[in-house]
Structures are given as structure tokens and as C-alpha cells.
Amino acid sequence: MFRTSYPKIFQMNILIKSAKIIAPNQSYNQQVKDILIIDGKISKIEDHIKPEIEIKEISLDNLHVSQGWFDCSVSFGEPGFEDRETIENGLNTAALSGYTAVAVNPNTQPVADTNADIGFIKSKGADKATSLYPIAALTSLSHGVDLAELFDMKNAGAVAYGDYQKPIENPNLLKIALQYTQNFDGLVLSFPMESKVIGKGVVNEGITSTKLGLKGIPALSEELQIVRDLFILEYTGGKLHIPTISTKLSVELIKQAKDKGLDVSCSVALANLILNESELEDFDTNYKLLPPLREEADRKALVEGVKHGVIDLVTTDHNPIDVENKNVEFDHALYGTIGLEASFGLLLQEFPLEKVIKILTSGKERFAIPQEEIAVGNKANISLFNPDSSYEFSKSDILSFSKNCAYTGKQVKGKTYGIIANNRIALKSSLSK
């Protein structure tokens, strides 16, 4: 099986030369500076720094930097689906895609529903450039019947609780979860899908599904669940996150809830922000996603939701699927696409650079993850990139073990070099000396 070679990872003192800092609303924004990093901390930020000790110098074409990027929803497969992606290669992929932190879904076998499971995942992700933060299953075995060991898993390192791409069908279970997690400031995730409305649907319900002869997933299935969840949140209090919304009305519902003062956040998947259901015409299973690709009007509403802050986070929803579960009839293929590698270049096609950096650096606080600005005295947690490189994204750009990518052949703008974080450098091998 093809395996991506790992980047050179260094642990030493570093001098970043002539980097343009993109840090919206911070003091060094849009300034070109040298950045000296000693023992993992930023020691100096000046126009020109001449090192007085042995140093590793980083000087790259059109180098831009920002504080480290965060993705709130990725899947790596391990344990159970290592053929799709291991934690090691997943974190390597994230690092070379510019991400210094990722929240990892319990999309595994077995699912992470005990403190021992969380401890295993944390241990597998230790001592890497990209930090791994586990999302624990909300219910035992993700079966939606009994709450899992939420408090114990928080103590083991879980940052949130949710059954990946599975709705909480029992409204009383969500009520109890929101009440219980208030005791330790826990964040509950509720996937917005009413399963009885979906039935056997596989794509967005509409003209395209009718034309292709595929069963539809109506927008109603998402919106009904969101309305229910918001009513429960208003009753119970607590912290609710609604992952990967996909319709125009969903954006409006979230806005109304925020205007009421409810403690709710939401995310949108990169695919729903960039693509629409027209991609389905060739029955390519790489476009079989959950939530499904919707109409262009929905996509535009999601873009506006991001621009105006109604949508809090954009996630790649990176989900490697093995070829045996994608190279089948559309109805039988598994949902999911990888997306870490293409995310920066795709977002730059839709938003200006400063907004893209705001998108990529948002959300850590919601998941109780520390955020380090680029400032003297702070730990170095930095993403390195070139925003002006336009190219066609191809299979050669994919670092994941699985190649189920909805973005192959798409035009992108901007390339990532890697990251500096956790007193390590992860650079693409062609750049490492």
C-alpha cells in the first residue's frame, strides 16, 4: 500500500526570516519581520535579527505566517480503521496542511467512549508538531441510548462530546446531557439530522436527485433537528455545538438563537461552503457526503453566514474512507471526503486572506484549547504558507493514506509550507534541508 513519506521534524532553535505576519487585530499584522524562536518560545520579533547562537534558519519564497490553525472535526480511523488513516499519518497530514491543532472525532472501532479510549488516543498523538484533542462519544458505543462516561473522559483529555454523524434521536437524552455537562463546563455536539425524515436518502432532495434517480435527503431533516435542539437548549441551558450545517434556513435559525442569547455555536464543512449538488452528475462517490451537497442558494447562504459570524467555525470534516467503501455503487458508498490538504487553497478562492486566517484560527476557545498569538514570550504556535501560489489540486498533493477527495482537479490558490509548534518544525520534505 502507498505510504506518504514523513517530513523532517526538527527540535531546535529557529530563525524565521522575512515573514509577513497575518494576524488580524493584532500588533504585527501585515508587517514583515524576522522571528527568533528559542526553546519553543518566541524570543524576538524584529526587522532584522542576526543570531548569536547556532540556529536553524527558515527562508522560503513569499513566506507568510499566522498563529496556528485549528480544525474542529477530523477523523483518522485509528483504532480500528488504520487502513484508512493512522493517527501518526493523520497528524503529519494536518501539520503539512498548516494545522497546529485538530479535534479528532470518535469515528473509530471501537468508538472512544471511556477514559481509557481517550487516554489511548492522546498517547498516540503525543510528542507531535500538531496537537491532538479528542472528541469523545456522547453515548455508550455511539448507540444513542445511554450517556457515556463524560466526566471521566474530560479528566482524560476530551474537549467535547458527540456521536459523529449520528443524531441524538431521544430528545430527553440531549436534555440530560446539556444539564449534566454544566457541572464541568462540557460542550455537547448534536448532529443536525432527523433520521426518520431522511429515510434512505443519499443526496440532497431536489431536481438533481430526481434527475439522477437517487433518494433525497430533504433540508427539512436538518432544520427540524436544529429547531428541536435549540428549544431544548433554551430550556436546559448548557453549551451546544451544532456541527456541519448545510442549509439557508439553518443559518437563520442559528442567528435567531444567538440573538436570544443562547450558548450555541455551529460549523460548516468545507465541501458545503465550496461545492454544490451539481458535482453529483457523474455519480462520483467522492461527492457522497453527510450533510449532502445542497443547492447553490444554500451554499451562498453558508458563505454569508461565515462572513457575518453566524457560523463560528469552518471544518474540513476530513474523513478518510478506504477505496473498497468508495469504489462501489453510489447508494452503497460510505459518506466522506478528505480535505485537510486542499483547505487553505480552497478558502482563498472564496475569501480574502485576512478572513481566511480568521476562519482557520477560530474555535479553539469554544473547545477549551489554548490559543497562542504571535508575540514575544509566547510559545511558538505558527502556520507557514504562501498565499499567492495558484495551481490545480491533484492526487500528488494528497498526503492521506486514503484518496477519497472531492477537490481533485479543482483550482486552488495558496500553498502551505508546514508549521512550528510544540518545539518542533514540520516542513514539506522538499523544503527541509
Side-chain angles (χ1 to χ4, degrees), residues 2 8 17-18 29 44 74 96-98 116 130 165 181 255 257 271 309 313 319 322 339 357 368 379-380 400 419 432:
F2 174 82
K8 295 180 180 178
K17 292 294 294 182
S18 301
N29 189 36
K44 294 180 181 179
V74 302
L96 299 186
S97 302
T130 296
Q165 292 191 340
T181 51
K255 183 179 185 304
L313 299 97
N319 187 6
D322 53 282
I357 298 306
K379 290 181 181 178
S400 304
I419 63 171
S432 301

Side-chain angles (χ1 to χ4, degrees), residues 7 20 43 72 105 107 140 147 156 162 204 240 289 363 388 400 406 420:
K20 189 170 187 177
S43 175
C72 67
N105 296 304
N107 187 20
S140 180
L147 288 182
N204 180 55
L240 179 66
L289 307 174
D388 298 325
S400 304
I420 299 172

